[in-house]
Amino acid sequence: MKSIVITLPSLSSGDAIGNDVISEYNLLKSNGFEVFIFAEHYEPQFAQYLCDFDTAKNSEVLIYHHGILWDKGETLLKDHRGKFRIMRYHNITPPDFFRAYNDELTDLVDKGRKQTLRLIKYFSYFIPASFYNAQELLNYKVPKELIEVIAPFNHVDELLSIQADIVTLDKLIGQHRPIVLFVGRKVPNKGLLHFVRTAKKYVDLFGKKVYFIWVGREDLRLGKYYDMINRYINDNSISDVVLFPGKVSISELKSYYLSANVFLILSEHEGFCVPILEAQSLGVPIIALNRAAVGETLGKNQLLFDEIDYERFAAAIEVLLNNNEYCIELSKYGKENYNTRFKNSLIKEKFLNTITGVLRI
């Protein structure tokens, strides 16, 4: 069997790309391939999976995960001696989302998107995580026949099987208020400002009877952005409505999903969106803004808005809180979307067939 090295800049727990890489590693390993991971930065628990630069350079196959600027990765591609190089394309956030808040992040993503154009010539095949990402590759003149869209692996199986954190669950349920939830990093492209503005509009229209909870970590480089968000929250007296618990464990995460009445995603740029699958698998009805890959991930018969309209978002939340039949309907179609399109068993089959097919070319 051919030796395969899966590459990414940084391998860490709780990261969607890292989860995708570990799942690919386990799948290929279990099917008889010699597999390693090359990462420039990694958490200690992943050391057992890793190889050095020379091993990666001399491997027969590179599966290169591209989602941020990575200079050493570009060097590896230039030096790679094997025959097969496959890009796993996760997309890179456009720089305009960061321009007003941090020069370093703006420069990083701008250079990352420019790097995408330079890297394309090194690859013989491309596996984007969504049709939205595939369209970007087509815009970069990648031939359609060299592209196969495959969703990233997810940890929904673990989320479904794990015990929810009882302390967190009791606390959330014990507050006796409906919960509007989002899960994701606190960054501009994920719609945090839209989220808090919707909370403000909801309070204006219906009162302080709902919690808006955003679960996810901050980026220390975005202090200016968080100052703006916090000023808005304080100026509009909604600090007792909008809550930020930060990064949580997977058992705590399940508690938030089980307590949520509505999952609200107002992100303006997603190359995929794993939290949609998490919410759907656990039966949480979703209200979403139709941007980037959100609509295609969400699937059919879901509550999807084409325009940013805080009053309509707030009204939709109120409708769901008072219409259990509609919630059940959205939940049914959401679970169907996850079960028929994004279960890991389906992704495994498609990914393995694609890789073995490419290696036979």
Side-chain angles (χ1 to χ4, degrees), residues 21 56-58 109 141 145 152 165 183 189 212 222-223 227 229 270 272 282 286 319 336 343 350 357:
V21 166
K57 181 179 71 175
N58 292 308
V109 296
K141 309 303 181 185
E145 61 271 18
D165 183 79
V183 175
N189 59 290
F212 284 74
L222 287 171
D227 288 344
I229 294 292
E270 298 280 350
F272 189 71
L282 288 166
I286 297 175
V319 167
E336 182 180 288
K343 289 188 74 169
K350 189 171 185 181

Side-chain angles (χ1 to χ4, degrees), residues 173-240:
I173 294 174
Q175 291 169 336
H176 303 293
R177 276 200 202 180
I179 291 172
V180 176
L181 178 69
F182 180 70
V183 175
R185 291 178 299 119
K186 290 175 68 178
V187 290
N189 59 290
K190 291 190 179 289
L192 176 56
L193 183 58
H194 299 322
F195 188 83
V196 298
R197 284 177 172 171
T198 300
K200 195 265 183 187
K201 180 56 68 174
Y202 185 90
V203 169
D204 289 346
L205 294 173
F206 306 109
K208 291 186 174 183
K209 60 182 184 179
V210 172
Y211 284 124
F212 284 74
I213 301 179
W214 183 296
V215 174
R217 62 180 172 86
E218 293 188 348
D219 188 316
L220 295 176
R221 295 167 291 186
L222 287 171
K224 185 177 179 181
Y225 177 65
Y226 302 138
D227 288 344
M228 181 267 291
I229 294 292
N230 290 330
R231 276 197 306 273
Y232 182 88
I233 290 171
N234 292 328
D235 289 349
N236 289 283
S237 302
I238 54 172
S239 60
D240 55 343

Side-chain angles (χ1 to χ4, degrees), residues 39-55:
E40 190 170 358
H41 308 285
Y42 57 91
E43 293 176 356
Q45 68 268 30
F46 296 118
Q48 60 181 313
Y49 301 106
L50 300 179
C51 67
D52 59 19
F53 184 90
D54 284 342
T55 300

